[in-house]
Amino acid sequence: MTDMVFGTVAAQPGEPILPRWWRTIDRWTLTFVIALFFIGILLGLAASVPLAQRNGLAPFYYVYKQLFFGVVALIAMIITSMMSPRTVRRLGVLGFLAGFVAICMLPFLGTDFGKGAVRWYSLGFASVQPSEFLKPCFVVFSAWLMAASYEVGGPPGKRMSFVVCLAVVTLLALQPDFGQASLTLAAWGLMYFIAGAPMLLLFALGGCVVAAGFFAYNSSEHFARRIDGFLNPDVDPRTQLGYATNAIQEGGFFGVGVGEGSVKWSLPDAHTDFIIAVAAEEYGLVLVLIIIGLFMAVTVRSLMRLMSERDIFIRLAGTGLAVLFGMQAMINMGVAVRLLPAKGMTLPFVSYGGSSLVAGGIALGMLLAFTRTRAQGDISDILNRDKLAHE
């Protein structure tokens, strides 16, 4: 596999790693991600205090934990972004194998913390959700398989990635974690489409997803309850969706004021799944639009840079990671405004959560590594040169 390509920045032999990293990194994307992290800390100061009070802890206990895991996530992101695409690929493959074993062992060693879904390993002092780490590694692993199918005499990588995807999605759905399963399947489907999948196969896959949805609705009370709540035209004001909807309406354009919101005292997941409701109530539509703009900027900017990439693996892996980041944000905010059924999914880099923060840092580090500037010439230059050669 070749390294990725942007512009014509010349490599400087013997250049120290930090200056080279700073010169080649997408600094705008890095800035946007750090801004999201600080917005998460700001919202955590309001959203997590009621939870700490209910649990008899210091008022800012969860803020300090979020700050700690956030710093770890930023360090992981920076270290990963310094890696070469080949090193990131190896990290993704090894991470996928470890994560796959971890989710296979969840029914035997995992815990649900009273939430009805076995998704975590309890370490005593903290908990780990392996699916958060599995997602970006799965994307890199699948991209590697798909790219290998383009090599002369290469393996049937596309079909192999399809089998792996089915296994991962099935294991996630059995937890049950339909949100992560849907997100993983969507990212893989887009990568498969970019890799040249026939439309008939994609339509057939869509039909299978619909059939699986009907089966899950009829066989899972957890899934059916969430779908029924979403389809019900009347929102119970005593439910999480009811509290979140009311908070967003009360916030208006400029919010009710810092610390003046009430939804954080009613929502048990105000600091995680419904953090956007806290932002809307206390800071109004203005902050919500800023958050949406930051997520859009990271996703779109990354995709635009990847459009000039000529290495198939990097293009596929980078696209999958960007889609994971953008779609998870879209799903989280879509649930809060009742555009989507409840999924139990955090807002990347904004919501509280150790696993989601650190895994998000690794995923964004991989994406930043794939979108770094490399001195190999732009793909458009190559196409124009070939065109002139044939004229």
Side-chain angles (χ1 to χ4, degrees):
M1 298 287 181
T2 60
D3 283 332
M4 70 180 192
V5 42
F6 287 107
T8 56
V9 179
Q12 300 179 17
E15 184 180 12
I17 185 170
L18 283 177
R20 183 170 69 250
W21 170 80
W22 181 247
R23 180 172 54 82
T24 58
I25 198 72
D26 183 1
R27 281 169 278 186
W28 279 110
T29 297
L30 183 64
T31 302
F32 296 150
V33 173
I34 294 174
L36 285 171
F37 168 67
F38 280 109
I39 289 174
I41 296 296
L42 176 67
L43 296 177
L45 289 170
S48 63
V49 172
L51 178 66
Q53 181 175 313
R54 287 194 294 268
N55 293 336
L57 301 169
F60 298 111
Y61 172 80
Y62 292 105
V63 178
Y64 294 143
K65 287 191 68 175
Q66 184 175 4
L67 186 61
F68 170 76
F69 285 116
V71 170
V72 173
L74 291 176
I75 293 173
M77 179 181 70
I78 291 173
I79 292 176
T80 307
S81 67
M82 293 179 180
M83 299 178 181
S84 68
R86 179 173 297 180
T87 303
V88 173
R89 185 185 67 197
R90 292 171 179 169
L91 175 66
V93 172
L94 293 175
F96 170 77
L97 295 176
F100 188 79
V101 172
I103 61 172
C104 287
M105 298 302 295
L106 274 174
F108 309 102
L109 302 175
T111 181
D112 63 355
F113 289 109
K115 297 184 178 181
V118 182
R119 303 175 185 174
W120 298 271
Y121 286 106
S122 177
L123 305 179
F125 61 92
S127 61
V128 176
Q129 186 175 356
S131 61
E132 292 286 356
F133 296 90
L134 180 69
K135 286 184 302 182
C137 295
F138 165 75
V139 165
V140 174
F141 183 72
S142 295
W144 176 51
L145 290 177
M146 293 181 190
S149 65
Y150 284 91
E151 297 177 359
V152 177
K158 294 180 183 178
R159 289 196 293 271
M160 293 169 66
S161 72
F162 176 66
V163 173
V164 172
C165 180
L166 286 182
V168 170
V169 169
T170 300
L171 288 171
L172 291 175
L174 289 176
Q175 290 182 3
D177 193 347
F178 297 106
Q180 299 285 19
S182 302
L183 182 60
T184 302
L185 183 60
W188 177 86
L190 183 59
M191 291 167 58
Y192 200 41
F193 173 75
I194 295 174
M199 292 301 297
L200 183 61
L201 179 60
L202 292 177
F203 283 126
L205 182 61
C208 292
V209 171
V210 173
F214 276 110
F215 175 78
Y217 180 83
N218 293 315
S219 59
S220 172
E221 182 180 350
H222 171 81
F223 185 82
R225 184 170 60 251
R226 292 197 169 188
I227 296 297
D228 290 340
F230 171 70
L231 295 177
N232 190 348
D234 299 319
V235 180
D236 187 344
R238 296 166 299 178
T239 62
Q240 293 201 88
L241 284 176
Y243 288 127
T245 302
N246 181 69
I248 293 171
Q249 293 173 346
E250 291 293 327
F253 282 98
F254 301 105
V256 299
V258 179
E260 299 298 321
S262 60
V263 71
K264 58 195 177 187
W265 298 97
S266 307
L267 275 173
D269 295 326
H271 62 309
T272 54
D273 300 352
F274 290 93
I275 192 71
I276 198 68
V278 177
E281 184 181 34
E282 298 201 359
Y283 297 91
L285 182 63
V286 174
L287 182 60
V288 173
L289 290 178
I290 291 174
I291 293 173
I292 293 173
L294 289 171
F295 279 108
M296 287 183 61
V298 172
T299 305
V300 174
R301 185 174 177 84
S302 299
L303 292 174
M304 291 294 292
R305 290 173 70 87
L306 289 165
M307 285 178 63
S308 299
E309 179 55 55
R310 46 179 181 161
D311 185 290
I312 298 173
F313 162 70
I314 296 173
R315 186 164 63 243
L316 291 175
T319 300
L321 291 170
V323 167
L324 273 181
F325 181 77
M327 284 193 65
Q328 181 165 336
M330 182 182 70
I331 291 172
N332 176 277
M333 291 184 280
V335 168
V337 297
R338 208 164 175 260
L339 289 175
L340 295 169
K343 290 286 193 301
M345 195 172 293
T346 59
L347 189 60
F349 269 89
V350 178
S351 296
Y352 170 84
S355 294
S356 61
L357 274 171
V358 177
I362 294 173
L364 265 296
M366 290 176 170
L367 181 60
L368 286 168
F370 290 143
T371 55
R372 283 175 61 185
T373 304
R374 305 285 175 179
Q376 294 186 43
D378 194 274
I379 189 172
S380 59
D381 299 333
I382 299 171
L383 294 176
N384 290 333
R385 186 171 64 246
D386 292 343
K387 182 180 178 181
L388 292 173
H390 287 86
E391 288 180 353

